Amino acid sequence: MDYSPGLAIATALFEISVAVWAIRGPGNRSIIRTTAAILVFLASYQLVEVSVCANSAAAGFLPRLAFIAVTWLPPLGLLLIAKLQRPRSRMAYGNAYSMLAAAAGIVIWIVLDRGFVSSSVCSTLFAHYTNPMPRFALYSGFYWLGLLGMIVHSGYGVKTCRDPHRRHLLSQVLVGTLAFVLPSLIVSSYVRPAEGALPSVMCHFALIFALFLTRLIYLERRPAEEEQTPAVAHSG
């Protein structure tokens, strides 16, 4: 079946809309901006995939751009978790900054390595990328280490965080990460059209993660909005 871009476009529009809504509202700016950045990179992958699948035979640099977009997601997720943890964790920040530095190196590698993606084929909802070994093994190791770190650090934060509000936000990251990673693994392993399309499958299921990030932003904004409401009513 031909690739249908509708889901990817709708997902990207939702993620961009939430990012704009987040940036333009109240709340801890560092938390809001990091969350918005994750949403923008998620949306970027969706839009790049649509462009790739519009003419996969002449996609050029676009398949590599898709991997560049998703490269930043685990490091930014770790950074968000580090910012949420209370008390502040040097280990969480150290792991986040280490992954960000590794991501920068990987992006340079992908830009320079024209053979990082040798071909791309699109069918129905998914894009299938062919990545020569050992390139993809190294990239996958980095990516899965980042996702595992997100699960471990957010889980630890939910258990130990002394701030109830921050603990609630950390739970959104933990459940959201599990809710898109586990279904992605199941679908890519047992659903035939999705076999060999794990990066694409994960980014589509990441809509679930985006929904949890949306709730995180709402929870972060709510106290500030509640403080503003009485002041507006009094001035009226």
Side-chain angles (χ1 to χ4, degrees):
M1 295 178 63
D2 292 336
Y3 177 81
S4 177
L7 177 61
I9 293 173
T11 300
L13 291 175
F14 168 76
E15 290 162 348
I16 291 171
S17 298
V18 174
V20 172
W21 168 69
I23 292 296
R24 299 177 73 175
N28 182 294
R29 303 317 299 163
S30 182
I31 293 172
I32 292 293
R33 287 169 182 163
T34 304
T35 307
I38 295 172
L39 290 166
V40 169
F41 277 111
L42 284 171
S44 298
Y45 173 84
Q46 301 290 352
L47 296 176
V48 172
E49 182 180 289
V50 170
S51 300
V52 169
C53 293
N55 186 0
S56 57
F61 179 72
L62 289 176
R64 284 186 284 159
L65 184 58
F67 280 89
I68 289 173
V70 298
T71 295
W72 295 105
L73 298 176
L76 287 173
L78 286 169
L79 183 61
L80 174 61
I81 293 165
K83 291 181 177 182
L84 291 173
Q85 285 189 347
R86 289 294 181 273
R88 179 187 173 99
S89 170
R90 289 185 178 180
M91 179 177 290
Y93 269 104
N95 289 341
Y97 289 135
S98 295
M99 287 294 288
L100 284 166
I106 287 173
V107 166
I108 294 172
W109 166 32
I110 295 174
V111 169
L112 297 177
D113 186 359
R114 295 185 178 183
F116 184 83
V117 183
S118 58
S119 66
S120 55
V121 178
C122 302
S123 61
T124 316
L125 297 174
F126 307 116
H128 300 250
Y129 300 100
T130 301
N131 304 82
M133 296 294 181
R135 293 177 177 89
F136 194 58
L138 292 172
Y139 182 88
S140 297
F142 157 83
Y143 204 84
W144 284 106
L145 182 64
L147 291 178
L148 178 61
M150 287 177 62
I151 294 170
V152 171
H153 279 292
S154 59
Y156 180 78
V158 168
K159 184 178 181 180
T160 63
C161 186
R162 298 174 186 173
D163 183 328
H165 173 64
R166 295 293 184 93
R167 186 165 59 247
H168 197 183
L169 299 185
L170 282 163
S171 71
Q172 304 306 304
V173 180
L174 173 61
V175 178
T177 303
L178 291 171
F180 94 87
V181 170
L182 296 180
S184 297
L185 290 173
I186 293 170
V187 169
S188 63
S189 298
Y190 298 105
V191 177
R192 185 174 296 276
E195 291 179 358
L198 184 57
S200 180
V201 171
M202 291 187 72
C203 282
H204 284 299
F205 272 106
L207 173 59
I208 300 172
F209 185 47
L211 292 173
F212 278 93
L213 291 181
T214 302
R215 178 161 173 76
L216 184 154
I217 294 166
Y218 166 74
L219 293 171
E220 175 60 26
R221 288 178 55 154
R222 188 170 61 180
E225 290 175 342
E226 289 175 350
E227 289 178 3
Q228 292 176 1
T229 300
V232 172
H234 180 74
S235 63

